[in-house]
Amino acid sequence: MNHTVQQLLLAALVVLPLLGSAAALLPAPPGLRGRGPDQAVLRHGVTVTGVVLAAAIALAAGFDRDHPARMQAQTDIGWIPALDIRIHLGVDGVSLPLLVLTALLTFLSALYAYFNRPSGPSPKAFVALLLLLESGTLASFAVLDLMLFFLAFEMVLIPMYFLINRWGSGERERAAWRFILYTLLGSVVMLLGLLLVGLGGGTFDMVALATDNGAKLSHTTQLIAALAIIVGLAVKAPMWPLHSWLPDAHTAAPTVGSVLLAGVLLKMGTYGLVRIVLPMTPGAAHTYAPYLAAFAVVGIIYGSLACLALARTGAKGDLKRLIAYSSVGHMGFVLLGIATLTPTGVNGALFANIAHGLITGLLFFLVGALKDRSGTTDLDQLAGTSGAALYGRAPRLGGLLAFGAVASLGLPGLAGFWGEMLAMFGAFDPADGLSRPAYLTYMALAGLGTLLTAAYMLIVVRRVCMGDHPIEPRIGTEPERPALADVHGHEFAAWSPLVALTVLAGLWPAALLGLTDPAVQQLLAGGNR
């Protein structure tokens, strides 16, 4: 594909949602209002996100797969000369899958919201915030300037805060405030680290800093800068013990907010670790890697035990909260892979990132649909004494929920398997200088985490999908449970791409690993390969 066309496509990914966000606040033209202005603005969200997804697919189709380590579709123009801050965009094998995942999940969320209008204020604000969130997330994966990365990283916080606070449920205000406070405080700390790296390295250009491989930074500067950056990124990842904002945010958020929070926003933290910390502060990354691995493994075990506690009968566990805690465990595998400092581990982390986005996005869609039908996500209320009997009451919905559960527990042949396996393989043989006995211990504990994950996911399937279902109630009596609508057409359209990609990535992992591996090899070598 022509380089200019690639440049335009990448720029469009960032700019179109921003323009669409502003346009959503304008009155709809009379001829495009359909059944009313609310429908028109929701259709506008579907249209803009659809165009952005088409641009992302076109960019991926034109990507030079023979050179995935090379930064492609670059735009590099001056912005603030006094500080040497430039508008520098580019995409390689690390960022391309995340760009496509973001565009896909946002489009599916807009499509879902069109047919399931979120309860709350005007849809105008909802669509504007959704598109603003998409623009900031795509920019985070596309920019190659540290200051622009920080601005894009911050840009997503306000839209997500309002999506939780205004369109959420339950203790939404408390959850929104916890989300914004945790992430803002983490961002302030991260900014100090980014400034240290940029000023010490003589530039804020991420490609140049990665190529320098920390040569211009003293070991002490690397240690201070990397610690600040890791703390800021770990809040978003989320890493135990900085994760406590996540379960509340997911429980309170609307379905679309939960899908994007789990599927996209959490990836910004781990992407920053791979793009910034590993190549720009390699000495500090080597120093902190064992501690990062230890926190990751604690998160895996902690998240799994929390899910087990929520899944048991009588615990009044919330299904959305359970899936949120499962994200703490799954993202622990991503952090463990990064902490091995090996190509195998980092590739596993990037694969697990994508797999988690697909599978957990699907699970939150399904739980949202279950809440719409039953009015609750409380496991005890759903299951009653013998189970919710989804297989009998809504077999397609029950089948999809079971599929999401077994994909989440890492069943071989589905996407969730490869990332976790490669992360543990990386821990089996970590980078030179790292304690192999310690990492073997981490690997064993992570393996235990996979068993615990299987346990709580199978308990959820048993309680929600199985159980007694009265086919023909006695004359003059009501059925023991009200009927549930099965999967609607628009739901099938929103969910089937996630199912298909989960299967495809599980059966053909080379499609993704072929993109990430050369780029990871170059990042770990400091751009000198």
Side-chain angles (χ1 to χ4, degrees):
M1 181 182 290
N2 183 277
H3 177 66
T4 303
V5 175
Q6 280 190 311
Q7 285 181 309
L8 291 174
L9 286 172
L10 186 57
L13 286 180
V14 178
V15 175
L16 281 179
L18 199 59
L19 296 177
S21 177
L25 299 175
L26 301 175
L32 297 178
R33 288 183 181 176
R35 291 194 299 269
D38 288 350
Q39 185 201 37
V41 75
L42 290 169
R43 186 172 60 242
H44 169 78
V46 175
T47 303
V48 174
T49 55
V51 171
V52 171
L53 176 59
I57 293 172
L59 181 66
F63 187 80
D64 184 359
R65 287 170 177 75
D66 294 329
H67 302 91
R70 188 180 67 203
M71 203 61 70
Q72 302 179 33
Q74 288 196 69
T75 298
D76 189 5
I77 57 179
W79 185 34
I80 307 177
L83 299 177
D84 193 28
I85 297 176
R86 308 181 64 80
I87 298 177
H88 190 183
L89 305 177
V91 61
D92 65 357
V94 171
S95 54
L96 180 64
L98 291 167
L99 287 169
V100 177
L101 176 68
T102 301
L104 173 65
L105 285 178
T106 311
F107 169 70
L108 298 181
S109 296
L111 183 65
Y112 186 83
Y114 178 78
F115 290 99
N116 296 269
R117 176 181 165 179
S119 57
S122 165
K124 277 190 174 186
F126 179 87
V127 171
L129 291 169
L130 183 69
L131 293 174
L132 185 62
L133 181 71
E134 180 181 34
S135 179
T137 310
L138 289 169
S140 297
F141 299 134
V143 298
L144 296 173
D145 184 279
L146 286 180
M147 290 299 100
L148 280 184
F149 175 82
F150 175 77
L151 292 176
F153 196 87
E154 293 298 284
M155 184 175 166
V156 305
L157 302 184
I158 300 304
M160 183 54 69
Y161 166 81
F162 281 109
L163 286 174
I164 297 172
N165 195 10
R166 303 302 298 277
W167 286 271
S169 59
E171 297 184 0
R172 58 188 184 184
E173 293 185 7
R174 177 176 176 271
W177 273 110
R178 289 196 72 182
F179 165 77
I180 199 73
L181 288 175
Y182 266 79
T183 49
L184 277 178
L185 288 173
S187 297
V188 169
V189 177
M190 182 180 73
L191 176 60
L192 298 176
L194 295 176
L195 289 172
L196 274 176
V197 171
L199 295 175
T203 180
F204 289 104
D205 185 271
M206 293 165 69
V207 176
L209 288 168
T211 303
D212 286 344
N213 206 210
K216 296 178 182 178
L217 302 176
S218 68
H219 187 64
T220 302
T221 302
Q222 285 194 36
L223 288 175
I224 297 171
L227 179 61
I229 296 170
I230 289 171
V231 168
L233 295 173
V235 172
K236 187 68 73 71
M239 183 182 76
W240 180 91
L242 302 174
H243 70 283
S244 59
W245 60 270
L246 182 70
D248 290 339
H250 271 309
T251 304
T255 297
V256 167
S258 292
V259 169
L260 294 177
L261 181 58
V264 177
L265 265 66
L266 303 189
K267 313 302 177 284
M268 293 165 62
T270 50
Y271 170 78
L273 290 173
V274 174
R275 178 68 75 193
I276 297 172
V277 176
L278 297 190
M280 299 181 196
T281 58
H286 196 279
T287 300
Y288 292 131
Y291 304 101
L292 182 62
F295 283 123
V297 170
V298 172
I300 293 171
I301 301 298
Y302 170 82
S304 299
L305 291 176
C307 289
L308 274 173
L310 290 169
R312 63 183 176 85
T313 303
K316 297 189 180 298
D318 186 282
L319 195 50
K320 286 186 74 176
R321 195 173 189 85
L322 185 147
I323 297 173
Y325 272 112
S326 78
S327 292
V328 176
H330 289 307
M331 296 307 290
F333 281 98
V334 177
L335 293 168
L336 176 62
I338 294 171
T340 67
L341 303 184
T342 63
T344 300
V346 176
N347 276 303
L350 294 174
F351 197 103
N353 253 349
I354 301 300
H356 179 264
L358 296 172
I359 296 167
T360 308
L362 174 63
L363 285 172
F364 275 118
F365 270 134
L366 292 168
V367 174
L370 191 57
K371 183 178 181 180
D372 290 341
R373 288 158 169 77
S374 64
T376 182
T377 52
D378 185 283
L379 268 172
D380 288 338
Q381 292 184 37
L382 281 172
T385 56
S386 61
L390 266 194
Y391 286 152
R393 302 163 69 199
R396 294 181 183 84
L397 186 61
L400 282 171
L401 185 61
F403 172 85
V406 297
S408 183
L409 63 83
L411 185 73
L414 298 177
F417 171 74
W418 294 105
E420 295 181 1
M421 186 195 71
L422 290 172
M424 289 191 285
F425 274 3
F428 180 77
D429 188 17
D432 293 340
L434 298 178
S435 171
R436 193 177 184 212
Y439 274 80
L440 288 175
T441 304
Y442 299 150
M443 182 190 73
L445 291 172
L448 175 61
T450 62
L451 297 177
L452 295 174
T453 301
Y456 70 74
M457 279 298 180
L458 292 176
I459 290 173
V460 168
V461 170
R462 177 179 61 79
R463 297 192 66 198
V464 177
C465 296
M466 301 179 184
D468 296 329
H469 175 61
I471 300 176
E472 293 184 3
R474 290 174 297 175
I475 296 175
T477 65
E478 292 294 328
E480 294 179 20
R481 297 179 181 85
L484 285 181
D486 213 338
V487 177
H488 301 302
H490 68 275
E491 292 173 331
F492 180 79
W495 302 341
S496 56
L498 302 180
V499 174
L501 289 172
T502 298
V503 174
L504 180 64
L507 296 177
W508 189 27
L512 184 55
L513 294 173
L515 284 176
T516 61
D517 184 55
V520 166
Q521 297 270 5
Q522 180 161 303
L523 281 174
L524 290 176
N528 296 316
R529 291 183 72 254

